[in-house]
Amino acid sequence: MDTAHARKPGEAGPAIGTRIPRRELSRLLHGAGRYVDDIKLPRMLHLAFVRSPYPHARIKSIDVEEARQCAGVEAVLTGADINHMCKPLHGVALHRPGHRAAMQPLMATERAVWQGQTVAAVVAQSRAQAEDAAELIDIDWDELPAIVNAEMAIDRGNPAIHSELDDNIAFDFSIDNGDVAKAFKDAAVVVEEELRFERQVALTLEPRGLIADFNTGDGSLTVIHSHQSPFQMQEVFSHHFGIAEHKVRVQAPDIGGGFGMKLNLYAEELAVVASSIHLGRPIKFCADRLESFLTDAHARDHNIKARMAVSADGRITAMEVDDVGAVGAYGMQMRFNVAEGMMAITVSGAPYNFDDYKARTRSVYVNKNLVGMYRGVGLPLACIVTELLVDRAAAALKKDPVEFRKQNYRGKSMLPCVTPGGQRLETVSFHECLDKLTELMDYGKLRSEQETFRRKGILRGVGIATFLEQTAYGPPYYGPSGASISTQDGCTLRLEPSGSIRCVTSITDQGQGTLTGIAQVVADTVGVNYEDVGLVSGDSAISPYGGGAWASRGMAIGGEAALKAGRLLKQNILDLASAITQTPAANLDISNGQVINLQTGMQILSLAEVARIGYFRQDTLPPAFDVQLSVSRSFVANSQICYLANGVQGCHVEIDQDTGFIKVLGQWAADDCGRIINPLLVDEQVRGGIAQGIGAVLFEECLYSPEGYLQNGTMVDYLVPMAGDLPDIQVVHVETPEASTELGAKGVGEAGLIGAMGAVWVAVNDALAPLGAKIQHQPFTPERVLDAIARARN
């Protein structure tokens, strides 16, 4: 390498669009080591971040000189170097009046406001070199007091994390329908709960990562991204860096899990792109597991107070919910972190027939990592709050919990209706799911056995949880928010000369098997074998525009687009076959890749023969015939805020009152996700969600010190359920197709977690009931179980 003419570490490359003389270009590229030997392949660099070790601290100075001198280091960058290149992030939803957030830069420059916020980046020829150099960056910190929980955030005597906001309230929203005060005054029974939900992480198998490659020659940007929505990120990169959108390409190949966490917008990922633009080199960043614990968007962190009023004859008459959620140090742009609280209060009580409802949610800023999208978002909170109160009410009236639910459900004769929280119910099936569930789990036998074991001093509990799953959000949800998020998805189909089908979809896959389902829809609709459909996805440069994978929308939206495209391609093929054979298209069909005559049942042409003529022998066709063997169709639920799937889950647990250990003996699910395309994949989606739901209630917690420091940033001390912790999980289905689509799919990706969290929570409290104990603080660790028992005994 010609070090005499190499660009100095940290020196910026030519400005975007600058025309560079050939000799200068050669010096820049070869001298900087951009090309390898005569192959002339760009040499990828690696990036490591330096992060704040403090929840809240002032940055007095940053000394990067020693790091810059390290072997292999190409640049050491701070916020002063790259923040100006990118518009700051601003996580405010325009359709939520009063929602406030501070501007978030790529990297902290004056203050770090959570432990893990990026402060500097080292770019080197290898990851090891970047990490070694990062350890040599010397930062002089002045630690500041931190706002570490919601109680501190609400207290106006404490300083605001962001002075421009005056206080730490991000959003305050209320619902007040009917005469709630009168309903509670007149109630025969009032039950109350005060619940605490700790923070959790998504814990995907593959951490977040990306490769950003900015081409200084034409000003284009290619990003290979472990993300769920490539078009979302294409728009983000274009908007924030001022690059024309047609020059931005985002590729999101199959990735190892997403769970909504890889849907969020991360300032540090934009910093990787900024570094690539700054240096004119491809740059790779992949979070290690500690970084994932610190910076992957967290979930939960809520305190909820709730109560329910019930009449003497067992009718629920009113409900009241007060939620406070700590969303981290900033608002989450596009995927707004006020969503958990909003979902919690708008869906609480939704399965039950009452009108008087009052609720409030407050989102507050704290000196912790940002909360963002995670499987189920706020729906598990709504399920837990509602189902726990329902069980308490049934017990107070000495009614069986199943019969009490049946008495209070919104039945089919009441549909369509709008719940007091604002949910429009049209095709839900609460009674049907509950009947299937109780039969599946042999509910009567479990209750009989429970009484037998209780007489022996053995604590067993049975929990039932009814839930709604909001799926496939439509334009009315994100459109007014100001977020450029597509709620449509598209599918392009092409008949290949071999007679096979190439399918390009905007849907992405993180292990759900959605692409398998889309291939099935295409194969069945066109009339070919599944093996003859090839799938391409996750590339914003070639697929139709679409939202990608989130909110259980893969089959509901992407599958509908595939169905429409398949029908159009099939008709075009039949029209061509008609021209070839001089047979009316209405008399033809396609089966197993063969065009058949419906009147004779005979195969008359293979699709390969149709394609060969359509592509290579158009001269044999009528002169005016228009061959169209490539088609595209998109679908969006224009008038829908979302679809609503539903279900009921059951759980059976045993508690060792000497050790506090909880064993899940059985878990059952009756789910209605609309029309099922692939039963095996649907069942495994439910089971996977249930495993996460069990983990969420019994094991998972981000432990913080009183000063706001994360204490468990490894898999050694962040507990998740192992195979031995999980029971056999049995799943059955009720199929109530979505009425507004032809395919009829609603979605199932989050149902397992939502229902499981409610069912486990209720079952554990049911087991503790003979002792007069109850547990309200998740996760249910042995210590918390024993504390609950001790409080009851005292």
Side-chain angles (χ1 to χ4, degrees), residues 251-272:
Q251 297 172 288
D254 287 357
I255 61 176
F259 308 130
M261 182 274 291
K262 291 179 182 174
L263 195 63
N264 298 296
L265 192 56
Y266 297 90
E268 62 191 50
E269 294 181 354
L270 272 68
V272 177

PDB file of all heavy atoms in Angstrom, residues 251-272:
ATOM      1  N   GLN A 251     -31.348  -4.570   1.339  1.00  0.00           N
ATOM      2  CA  GLN A 251     -31.566  -6.004   1.209  1.00  0.00           C
ATOM      3  C   GLN A 251     -31.677  -6.611   2.600  1.00  0.00           C
ATOM      4  O   GLN A 251     -30.774  -6.438   3.427  1.00  0.00           O
ATOM      5  CB  GLN A 251     -30.423  -6.660   0.440  1.00  0.00           C
ATOM      6  CG  GLN A 251     -30.289  -6.172  -1.001  1.00  0.00           C
ATOM      7  CD  GLN A 251     -29.023  -6.692  -1.672  1.00  0.00           C
ATOM      8  OE1 GLN A 251     -27.921  -6.260  -1.367  1.00  0.00           O
ATOM      9  NE2 GLN A 251     -29.195  -7.639  -2.575  1.00  0.00           N
ATOM     10  N   ALA A 252     -32.762  -7.290   2.833  1.00  0.00           N
ATOM     11  CA  ALA A 252     -32.992  -7.935   4.124  1.00  0.00           C
ATOM     12  C   ALA A 252     -33.207  -9.425   3.887  1.00  0.00           C
ATOM     13  O   ALA A 252     -34.333  -9.886   3.717  1.00  0.00           O
ATOM     14  CB  ALA A 252     -34.208  -7.327   4.825  1.00  0.00           C
ATOM     15  N   PRO A 253     -32.131 -10.182   3.845  1.00  0.00           N
ATOM     16  CA  PRO A 253     -32.259 -11.631   3.615  1.00  0.00           C
ATOM     17  C   PRO A 253     -32.869 -12.319   4.827  1.00  0.00           C
ATOM     18  O   PRO A 253     -33.157 -11.675   5.847  1.00  0.00           O
ATOM     19  CB  PRO A 253     -30.806 -12.066   3.397  1.00  0.00           C
ATOM     20  CG  PRO A 253     -29.997 -11.070   4.169  1.00  0.00           C
ATOM     21  CD  PRO A 253     -30.742  -9.771   4.058  1.00  0.00           C
ATOM     22  N   ASP A 254     -33.083 -13.631   4.726  1.00  0.00           N
ATOM     23  CA  ASP A 254     -33.588 -14.372   5.881  1.00  0.00           C
ATOM     24  C   ASP A 254     -32.704 -14.092   7.085  1.00  0.00           C
ATOM     25  O   ASP A 254     -31.471 -14.165   6.997  1.00  0.00           O
ATOM     26  CB  ASP A 254     -33.575 -15.880   5.596  1.00  0.00           C
ATOM     27  CG  ASP A 254     -34.673 -16.289   4.629  1.00  0.00           C
ATOM     28  OD1 ASP A 254     -35.456 -15.417   4.244  1.00  0.00           O
ATOM     29  OD2 ASP A 254     -34.715 -17.474   4.263  1.00  0.00           O
ATOM     30  N   ILE A 255     -33.327 -13.749   8.199  1.00  0.00           N
ATOM     31  CA  ILE A 255     -32.551 -13.418   9.383  1.00  0.00           C
ATOM     32  C   ILE A 255     -33.026 -14.256  10.560  1.00  0.00           C
ATOM     33  O   ILE A 255     -34.149 -14.754  10.566  1.00  0.00           O
ATOM     34  CB  ILE A 255     -32.632 -11.919   9.736  1.00  0.00           C
ATOM     35  CG1 ILE A 255     -34.068 -11.495  10.031  1.00  0.00           C
ATOM     36  CG2 ILE A 255     -32.061 -11.082   8.623  1.00  0.00           C
ATOM     37  CD1 ILE A 255     -34.205 -10.067  10.486  1.00  0.00           C
ATOM     38  N   GLY A 256     -32.164 -14.409  11.520  1.00  0.00           N
ATOM     39  CA  GLY A 256     -32.444 -15.272  12.660  1.00  0.00           C
ATOM     40  C   GLY A 256     -33.294 -14.614  13.714  1.00  0.00           C
ATOM     41  O   GLY A 256     -32.819 -14.279  14.796  1.00  0.00           O
ATOM     42  N   GLY A 257     -34.570 -14.436  13.430  1.00  0.00           N
ATOM     43  CA  GLY A 257     -35.499 -13.892  14.400  1.00  0.00           C
ATOM     44  C   GLY A 257     -35.581 -12.386  14.361  1.00  0.00           C
ATOM     45  O   GLY A 257     -34.596 -11.696  14.109  1.00  0.00           O
ATOM     46  N   GLY A 258     -36.764 -11.877  14.593  1.00  0.00           N
ATOM     47  CA  GLY A 258     -36.982 -10.430  14.625  1.00  0.00           C
ATOM     48  C   GLY A 258     -37.839 -10.017  15.807  1.00  0.00           C
ATOM     49  O   GLY A 258     -37.496  -9.136  16.566  1.00  0.00           O
ATOM     50  N   PHE A 259     -39.019 -10.652  15.963  1.00  0.00           N
ATOM     51  CA  PHE A 259     -39.940 -10.419  17.071  1.00  0.00           C
ATOM     52  C   PHE A 259     -40.330  -8.953  17.216  1.00  0.00           C
ATOM     53  O   PHE A 259     -40.681  -8.508  18.305  1.00  0.00           O
ATOM     54  CB  PHE A 259     -39.355 -10.929  18.387  1.00  0.00           C
ATOM     55  CG  PHE A 259     -38.885 -12.354  18.347  1.00  0.00           C
ATOM     56  CD1 PHE A 259     -37.627 -12.706  18.790  1.00  0.00           C
ATOM     57  CD2 PHE A 259     -39.707 -13.348  17.853  1.00  0.00           C
ATOM     58  CE1 PHE A 259     -37.191 -14.017  18.740  1.00  0.00           C
ATOM     59  CE2 PHE A 259     -39.288 -14.667  17.805  1.00  0.00           C
ATOM     60  CZ  PHE A 259     -38.018 -15.004  18.250  1.00  0.00           C
ATOM     61  N   GLY A 260     -40.271  -8.172  16.139  1.00  0.00           N
ATOM     62  CA  GLY A 260     -40.594  -6.757  16.213  1.00  0.00           C
ATOM     63  C   GLY A 260     -39.411  -5.890  16.580  1.00  0.00           C
ATOM     64  O   GLY A 260     -39.355  -4.713  16.211  1.00  0.00           O
ATOM     65  N   MET A 261     -38.450  -6.443  17.312  1.00  0.00           N
ATOM     66  CA  MET A 261     -37.275  -5.672  17.723  1.00  0.00           C
ATOM     67  C   MET A 261     -36.496  -5.162  16.512  1.00  0.00           C
ATOM     68  O   MET A 261     -35.943  -4.056  16.533  1.00  0.00           O
ATOM     69  CB  MET A 261     -36.388  -6.531  18.627  1.00  0.00           C
ATOM     70  CG  MET A 261     -35.147  -5.844  19.163  1.00  0.00           C
ATOM     71  SD  MET A 261     -33.729  -5.929  18.037  1.00  0.00           S
ATOM     72  CE  MET A 261     -33.327  -7.676  18.111  1.00  0.00           C
ATOM     73  N   LYS A 262     -36.444  -5.950  15.440  1.00  0.00           N
ATOM     74  CA  LYS A 262     -35.712  -5.549  14.244  1.00  0.00           C
ATOM     75  C   LYS A 262     -36.593  -4.748  13.286  1.00  0.00           C
ATOM     76  O   LYS A 262     -36.330  -4.679  12.094  1.00  0.00           O
ATOM     77  CB  LYS A 262     -35.120  -6.768  13.548  1.00  0.00           C
ATOM     78  CG  LYS A 262     -33.991  -7.416  14.350  1.00  0.00           C
ATOM     79  CD  LYS A 262     -33.427  -8.626  13.655  1.00  0.00           C
ATOM     80  CE  LYS A 262     -32.334  -9.271  14.501  1.00  0.00           C
ATOM     81  NZ  LYS A 262     -31.862 -10.548  13.920  1.00  0.00           N
ATOM     82  N   LEU A 263     -37.628  -4.161  13.842  1.00  0.00           N
ATOM     83  CA  LEU A 263     -38.474  -3.242  13.102  1.00  0.00           C
ATOM     84  C   LEU A 263     -38.184  -1.807  13.502  1.00  0.00           C
ATOM     85  O   LEU A 263     -38.515  -0.866  12.786  1.00  0.00           O
ATOM     86  CB  LEU A 263     -39.932  -3.580  13.395  1.00  0.00           C
ATOM     87  CG  LEU A 263     -41.019  -3.021  12.507  1.00  0.00           C
ATOM     88  CD1 LEU A 263     -40.879  -3.527  11.094  1.00  0.00           C
ATOM     89  CD2 LEU A 263     -42.381  -3.406  13.074  1.00  0.00           C
ATOM     90  N   ASN A 264     -37.537  -1.650  14.646  1.00  0.00           N
ATOM     91  CA  ASN A 264     -37.312  -0.324  15.211  1.00  0.00           C
ATOM     92  C   ASN A 264     -36.191   0.409  14.482  1.00  0.00           C
ATOM     93  O   ASN A 264     -35.429  -0.173  13.716  1.00  0.00           O
ATOM     94  CB  ASN A 264     -36.975  -0.457  16.696  1.00  0.00           C
ATOM     95  CG  ASN A 264     -38.114  -1.077  17.479  1.00  0.00           C
ATOM     96  OD1 ASN A 264     -39.185  -0.513  17.572  1.00  0.00           O
ATOM     97  ND2 ASN A 264     -37.892  -2.256  18.025  1.00  0.00           N
ATOM     98  N   LEU A 265     -36.107   1.698  14.762  1.00  0.00           N
ATOM     99  CA  LEU A 265     -35.110   2.563  14.135  1.00  0.00           C
ATOM    100  C   LEU A 265     -34.024   2.854  15.171  1.00  0.00           C
ATOM    101  O   LEU A 265     -34.318   3.379  16.245  1.00  0.00           O
ATOM    102  CB  LEU A 265     -35.784   3.854  13.680  1.00  0.00           C
ATOM    103  CG  LEU A 265     -34.992   4.774  12.751  1.00  0.00           C
ATOM    104  CD1 LEU A 265     -34.549   4.055  11.509  1.00  0.00           C
ATOM    105  CD2 LEU A 265     -35.846   5.986  12.387  1.00  0.00           C
ATOM    106  N   TYR A 266     -32.780   2.517  14.838  1.00  0.00           N
ATOM    107  CA  TYR A 266     -31.667   2.652  15.765  1.00  0.00           C
ATOM    108  C   TYR A 266     -30.687   3.702  15.252  1.00  0.00           C
ATOM    109  O   TYR A 266     -30.164   3.589  14.128  1.00  0.00           O
ATOM    110  CB  TYR A 266     -30.944   1.312  15.933  1.00  0.00           C
ATOM    111  CG  TYR A 266     -31.813   0.244  16.545  1.00  0.00           C
ATOM    112  CD1 TYR A 266     -32.594  -0.599  15.746  1.00  0.00           C
ATOM    113  CD2 TYR A 266     -31.879   0.078  17.922  1.00  0.00           C
ATOM    114  CE1 TYR A 266     -33.403  -1.568  16.303  1.00  0.00           C
ATOM    115  CE2 TYR A 266     -32.684  -0.900  18.496  1.00  0.00           C
ATOM    116  CZ  TYR A 266     -33.443  -1.711  17.687  1.00  0.00           C
ATOM    117  OH  TYR A 266     -34.248  -2.677  18.240  1.00  0.00           O
ATOM    118  N   ALA A 267     -30.411   4.708  16.085  1.00  0.00           N
ATOM    119  CA  ALA A 267     -29.491   5.772  15.681  1.00  0.00           C
ATOM    120  C   ALA A 267     -28.124   5.213  15.335  1.00  0.00           C
ATOM    121  O   ALA A 267     -27.470   5.688  14.400  1.00  0.00           O
ATOM    122  CB  ALA A 267     -29.371   6.805  16.809  1.00  0.00           C
ATOM    123  N   GLU A 268     -27.678   4.188  16.044  1.00  0.00           N
ATOM    124  CA  GLU A 268     -26.343   3.654  15.786  1.00  0.00           C
ATOM    125  C   GLU A 268     -26.249   2.981  14.415  1.00  0.00           C
ATOM    126  O   GLU A 268     -25.184   2.964  13.800  1.00  0.00           O
ATOM    127  CB  GLU A 268     -25.931   2.685  16.885  1.00  0.00           C
ATOM    128  CG  GLU A 268     -26.799   1.461  17.012  1.00  0.00           C
ATOM    129  CD  GLU A 268     -26.493   0.697  18.296  1.00  0.00           C
ATOM    130  OE1 GLU A 268     -26.448   1.305  19.387  1.00  0.00           O
ATOM    131  OE2 GLU A 268     -26.275  -0.518  18.183  1.00  0.00           O
ATOM    132  N   GLU A 269     -27.368   2.441  13.932  1.00  0.00           N
ATOM    133  CA  GLU A 269     -27.336   1.848  12.595  1.00  0.00           C
ATOM    134  C   GLU A 269     -27.226   2.932  11.526  1.00  0.00           C
ATOM    135  O   GLU A 269     -26.574   2.731  10.496  1.00  0.00           O
ATOM    136  CB  GLU A 269     -28.561   0.962  12.387  1.00  0.00           C
ATOM    137  CG  GLU A 269     -28.554  -0.250  13.305  1.00  0.00           C
ATOM    138  CD  GLU A 269     -29.729  -1.182  13.120  1.00  0.00           C
ATOM    139  OE1 GLU A 269     -30.645  -0.856  12.340  1.00  0.00           O
ATOM    140  OE2 GLU A 269     -29.744  -2.241  13.764  1.00  0.00           O
ATOM    141  N   LEU A 270     -27.846   4.073  11.772  1.00  0.00           N
ATOM    142  CA  LEU A 270     -27.647   5.203  10.870  1.00  0.00           C
ATOM    143  C   LEU A 270     -26.216   5.717  10.959  1.00  0.00           C
ATOM    144  O   LEU A 270     -25.671   6.212   9.967  1.00  0.00           O
ATOM    145  CB  LEU A 270     -28.638   6.320  11.184  1.00  0.00           C
ATOM    146  CG  LEU A 270     -29.995   6.225  10.468  1.00  0.00           C
ATOM    147  CD1 LEU A 270     -30.811   5.043  10.975  1.00  0.00           C
ATOM    148  CD2 LEU A 270     -30.797   7.511  10.627  1.00  0.00           C
ATOM    149  N   ALA A 271     -25.597   5.596  12.122  1.00  0.00           N
ATOM    150  CA  ALA A 271     -24.202   6.006  12.264  1.00  0.00           C
ATOM    151  C   ALA A 271     -23.281   5.131  11.423  1.00  0.00           C
ATOM    152  O   ALA A 271     -22.252   5.599  10.916  1.00  0.00           O
ATOM    153  CB  ALA A 271     -23.784   5.953  13.729  1.00  0.00           C
ATOM    154  N   VAL A 272     -23.628   3.865  11.251  1.00  0.00           N
ATOM    155  CA  VAL A 272     -22.844   2.985  10.382  1.00  0.00           C
ATOM    156  C   VAL A 272     -22.928   3.477   8.935  1.00  0.00           C
ATOM    157  O   VAL A 272     -21.926   3.530   8.214  1.00  0.00           O
ATOM    158  CB  VAL A 272     -23.331   1.526  10.489  1.00  0.00           C
ATOM    159  CG1 VAL A 272     -22.560   0.622   9.520  1.00  0.00           C
ATOM    160  CG2 VAL A 272     -23.170   1.014  11.917  1.00  0.00           C
TER     161      VAL A 272
END
